[in-house]
Amino acid sequence: MSVAIVKSLGVRGASVWKLDDNGTPGQYPNVDNVAITLPSIELETSSLQLMGTLDVPDLSRVGNLQLTVNVPLDVPSAMELLEMGKVVKWMITWCSQEYDSVTGTTTPKSFTVMASGFITSIPNAEVNAGAENTGDITMNLISYKKINGTDNKVQFEIDRGKGIFNVLGQDMIRQFTSLY
């Protein structure tokens, strides 16, 4: 069983860059103005026996993280995002607006996601006359970092290989293990 601490979020108007081995993006994004689905962050649960069974989130076991990008199939640079059998690194950026109902003001917010993982699904071209031909690329994530670019604060940082699980700058694993 698992518990979602963050539900998946759909974003439109994102730009995606494939990063080279040094983590450097190209001059231009591979795809621009695309829809993405950010991963749900779920924790597997462990059962404790305390006058019955209690399921508690286990911070050492983050569930499957998947990132999906809907790309146009007729753009050659979009197909450069695909690389099977090896770790792929992407940088994704987008802007949104935050509306404050108290003051009636709208504030622009920018976000950046740094993601690395393995491509697990590639788009299958279905050609329909007069329709946009798009398909989903899905990546199973090894590392995921979401940064609020407006104030440059890291919202989430998860790295399965290094044992990192930070939410809003708080080391969740250290906080959890300090309870015992």
Side-chain angles (χ1 to χ4, degrees), residues 23 30 47 50 86 88 90 105 109 146 148 158 163 170 173:
N30 291 72
S47 295
L50 297 170
K86 86 179 244 191
V88 178
W90 292 346
T105 59
K109 298 279 184 177
K146 182 180 176 190
N148 182 336
I158 300 170
Q170 301 287 326
I173 294 175

Side-chain angles (χ1 to χ4, degrees), residues 9-164:
L9 172 68
V11 175
R12 295 191 182 278
S15 299
V16 182
W17 284 263
K18 183 176 178 186
L19 304 177
D20 65 16
D21 292 335
N22 298 322
T24 307
Q27 186 175 1
Y28 301 105
N30 291 72
V31 289
D32 205 9
N33 198 24
V34 295
I36 63 171
T37 304
L38 297 174
S40 290
I41 300 174
E42 297 180 354
L43 299 176
E44 300 297 326
T45 59
S46 297
S47 295
L48 295 177
Q49 297 294 326
L50 297 170
M51 294 174 43
T53 303
L54 177 66
D55 289 328
V56 294
D58 184 349
L59 293 175
S60 66
R61 296 180 13 206
V62 177
N64 191 22
L65 297 171
Q66 289 189 329
L67 176 71
T68 303
V69 179
N70 185 266
V71 298
L73 298 176
D74 56 351
V75 177
S77 61
M79 294 303 107
E80 292 173 11
L81 293 171
L82 297 172
E83 197 160 344
M84 303 303 285
K86 86 179 244 191
V87 174
V88 178
K89 298 176 186 175
W90 292 346
M91 179 176 77
I92 304 168
T93 60
W94 73 93
C95 292
S96 63
Q97 293 188 20
E98 186 175 276
Y99 178 71
D100 185 345
S101 61
V102 175
T103 62
T105 59
T106 302
T107 307
K109 298 279 184 177
S110 66
F111 297 92
T112 301
V113 163
M114 305 298 283
S116 69
F118 293 96
I119 303 298
T120 58
S121 75
I122 59 175
N124 187 10
E126 180 179 315
V127 179
N128 294 317
E132 287 186 37
N133 294 310
T134 63
D136 289 342
I137 299 174
T138 302
M139 179 193 292
N140 275 354
L141 299 175
I142 296 170
S143 67
Y144 173 72
K145 183 189 280 189
K146 182 180 176 190
I147 304 164
N148 182 336
T150 307
D151 57 12
N152 217 21
K153 291 188 179 177
V154 176
Q155 292 181 325
F156 303 107
E157 182 175 11
I158 300 170
D159 192 318
R160 294 170 185 267
K162 296 179 182 175
I164 296 172

